[in-house]
Amino acid sequence: MTERTGGKTSAGVDPLMLGRAIADADRRAAHALNLVPSENRISPLASVPLGSDFSNRYFFNTAGDPMFWEFRGGEDIAHIEALGAGALRRMASARYCNVRPISGMSAMILTVAALSAPGSTVVSVDQESGGHYATPALLTRLGRRSRLLGCENGRVDTSELADALAPGDVDLVYVDVQNCVRVPDFGTMSDVVRRVSPATRLYVDASHYLGLVLGGLVENPLACGADAFGGSTHKSFPGPHKGVVFTDAEDIDESLRSAQFDLVSSHHFAETLALSLAALEVEHRIGDYARTTNDNARRLAAALADAGFRVHGDSGTGYTDTHQVWVALEGPAAAYALSNRLAEAGIRVNLQSSMPGMPGVHLRLGSNEITFEGAGPQAVEELAAALVTARERPLGPRTVSGIRARFGPPFYTDPEKLRVEAGLCTC
Amino acid sequence: MTERTGGKTSAGVDPLMLGRAIADADRRAAHALNLVPSENRISPLASVPLGSDFSNRYFFNTAGDPMFWEFRGGEDIAHIEALGAGALRRMASARYCNVRPISGMSAMILTVAALSAPGSTVVSVDQESGGHYATPALLTRLGRRSRLLGCENGRVDTSELADALAPGDVDLVYVDVQNCVRVPDFGTMSDVVRRVSPATRLYVDASHYLGLVLGGLVENPLACGADAFGGSTHKSFPGPHKGVVFTDAEDIDESLRSAQFDLVSSHHFAETLALSLAALEVEHRIGDYARTTNDNARRLAAALADAGFRVHGDSGTGYTDTHQVWVALEGPAAAYALSNRLAEAGIRVNLQSSMPGMPGVHLRLGSNEITFEGAGPQAVEELAAALVTARERPLGPRTVSGIRARFGPPFYTDPEKLRVEAGLCTC
């Protein structure tokens, strides 16, 4: 046990002390303010299944069929997956909801496999326009032809889209815009697809703005003519790291189920239960959560712009229609100095090397998590002030607790209530 | 909020009570004996990260590069992923270890994408011979041609394999045997591949017997000439639901990294930390664990056979070389009666509709989890006696506690030690 690994010997590594380091870092994380648009903080209730024995188990018997208990242990809670899917369906106004993908990328692989054939062409949005970095390479690796489309401020060039569809070999238009302050215009895209290539499927990967769609702030892709939409469940929607796909079409639901059987197998039961609890817990306030998330993003953007930060967008259009706020910085050194000072104080920001229409290093901020935790106007103003200060000097040790003191009630159930009313351990 | 879902209204659903039902089921699960070869029980130490804030976070900076903190929060624990990968590499005697797949199927998609081109042929083992049910359909969906091979008692027909390779269009031989009491003969397969089609890659999906390979009980595929091996980390290896891929070849490691970038993105940081802790915790006893797992499987098989169960294999060859024991039953009604009586008492078995060479409903038992928890000869004998009794009548309420009383020390760190020495909460 003295073999070397990266300069350390395994004899010098005590797994207990590593476990303790993780627990210590977790305690610090509990107080941190996260401004990362691709992350959210799962609620104490929704996190109950994550460390449970169900993280060790397979589970396929959602219907509770007494003759389908190949894998046991979930008998008393089998109905919870369907209850959660019901809540998601209601929020999405969708007839079908597939909760089997185990991540956003798993949902992407699943939908590409289900809705396009090998050898066909799949149209997606180029990265410079906010498209997901991985889509073109993923498509090529899966034997599809990738064709990219520009998208500016949520508008695609309709003649460019029509040209892409004209050859008749496009099985799927996969709208994968992730980095956006303006949501793509699904309705226009759908009109072009229906007119030029009616057999082509239109899918919206709404990973980043899923919570905003479910909350009614962003137009529902299905209502705009998309065949299906979905994505990861842990960005503007406050769920675990999982994926979900919605559709109104029975044949598409069937295609997804068939592909899921071949490509997913176990759908990570603990996370699926967590997604159910997250959905049922937030369902009656998802509209308020989505609206407040965008209100906070606009307020944060305005406050930073007023203080001299170069913020994407302008006050006339409220800077952003989503949870994202983009702030250009003066090169990597200044960016890391700012990010480090903020991290030192417990404020965690996301650095990106460029954003659509704004080259160079950026803050890609998200209001989704602080909103879930209860941030309102006052907290956002103080947070903006902290970012302004951190450009120049370190922040005081009570900065985060001061901001947290301004928080209102969160959008999740109080841990004390979980303890008292349901006897749940939330240590 | 009164829309119907599966006969219940959402107004009648209290998420707190669902959370409580999950916590209650989890408490019962703590005492259950699981005899499912595809599941294991993660240790209390390795489960520390699962419910932590790191389940909410992205993390890509394994090297701790001070200028690569796009996503923050993991600064103090960034080294743990690499330490865990080091432990896995040592156990696998492999130069490279990729811990990015988020499941066994994710590892399958990753390796197929990395080691074969769209349009090429991939050879795998047919389901009737123990091959994974999903492989052929997965390959077809990913634009590969699937060709299936028989395998009996771990031996492929070498001329059948040579014929499959002869056309020269096989990029990859993917050995996906999951249901096996005899491990495939990798060496012979490698000899044929090297002779007939040297450019073809040989990959071993060792999901089921991964812990037995790492413990030295099953021959290491790399030592037998395979280019890479890997699979899920939660069957005979006692880790979380994740995937891993090992290789000695730099170019294959590079291909895997490249494919992982396109197909995985976030690798589920909490589960990755859990895998690290699991690997570091079990490293110095993995050989003992693997050997005891097989000893227990053979003892269980022999005891069941002696009591009149129809067990696959025979006493001359010890019934099984792995953690799996297959027991034929007298049709679905008898199978469910047995499974239900066992479940009622807290003993969970896996029913399968057939096994290679044994048609009809079966128990597919695994000794891996009870061994991890400390089962030895006495416990296994009592467990076998309980299965015998359950054929006829319900088991007594103290059956499981009686069996557990025979357990020796587990292969993981005592929870009390975690509490006292590392201050870790294990409630």
Side-chain angles (χ1 to χ4, degrees), chain A residues 1 10 15 31 130 183 208 243-244 271 303 308 334 342 352 395 417:
Chain A
M1 295 302 118
S10 67
H31 301 286
V183 175
H208 258 280
V244 71
E271 281 82 355
L342 290 167
Q352 294 280 321
L395 295 168
K417 188 173 172 181

Side-chain angles (χ1 to χ4, degrees), chain B residues 355-395:
Chain B
M355 283 288 129
M358 278 188 116
V361 65
H362 275 66
L363 293 177
R364 184 182 67 158
L365 302 175
S367 61
N368 41 318
E369 182 169 327
I370 57 165
T371 303
F372 193 56
E373 292 195 278
Q378 280 189 313
V380 169
E381 293 288 349
E382 289 199 17
L383 183 61
L387 266 74
V388 172
T389 301
R391 270 196 301 195
E392 306 295 336
R393 59 174 191 275
L395 295 168

Side-chain angles (χ1 to χ4, degrees), chain B residues 120-171:
Chain B
S120 71
T121 296
V122 177
V123 172
S124 63
V125 175
D126 67 41
Q127 195 178 351
E128 293 67 36
S129 301
H132 194 283
Y133 78 89
T135 316
L138 179 144
L139 291 169
T140 306
R141 287 185 181 280
L142 269 47
R144 276 71 176 169
R145 286 195 298 274
S146 164
R147 177 149 181 179
L148 293 167
L149 206 64
C151 181
E152 204 169 333
N153 284 321
R155 312 289 304 188
V156 296
D157 182 325
T158 53
S159 60
E160 190 188 353
L161 176 56
D163 287 351
L165 294 165
D169 65 344
V170 177
D171 277 8

Side-chain angles (χ1 to χ4, degrees), chain B residues 142-204:
Chain B
L142 269 47
R144 276 71 176 169
R145 286 195 298 274
S146 164
R147 177 149 181 179
L148 293 167
L149 206 64
C151 181
E152 204 169 333
N153 284 321
R155 312 289 304 188
V156 296
D157 182 325
T158 53
S159 60
E160 190 188 353
L161 176 56
D163 287 351
L165 294 165
D169 65 344
V170 177
D171 277 8
L172 177 64
V173 175
Y174 190 100
V175 186
D176 60 335
V177 173
Q178 303 301 309
N179 290 325
C180 63
V181 292
R182 304 273 171 257
V183 175
D185 179 357
F186 317 127
T188 301
M189 298 177 82
S190 171
D191 289 347
V192 176
V193 171
R194 298 310 165 219
R195 180 168 51 81
V196 179
S197 180
T200 297
R201 296 278 172 59
L202 177 64
Y203 176 80
V204 175

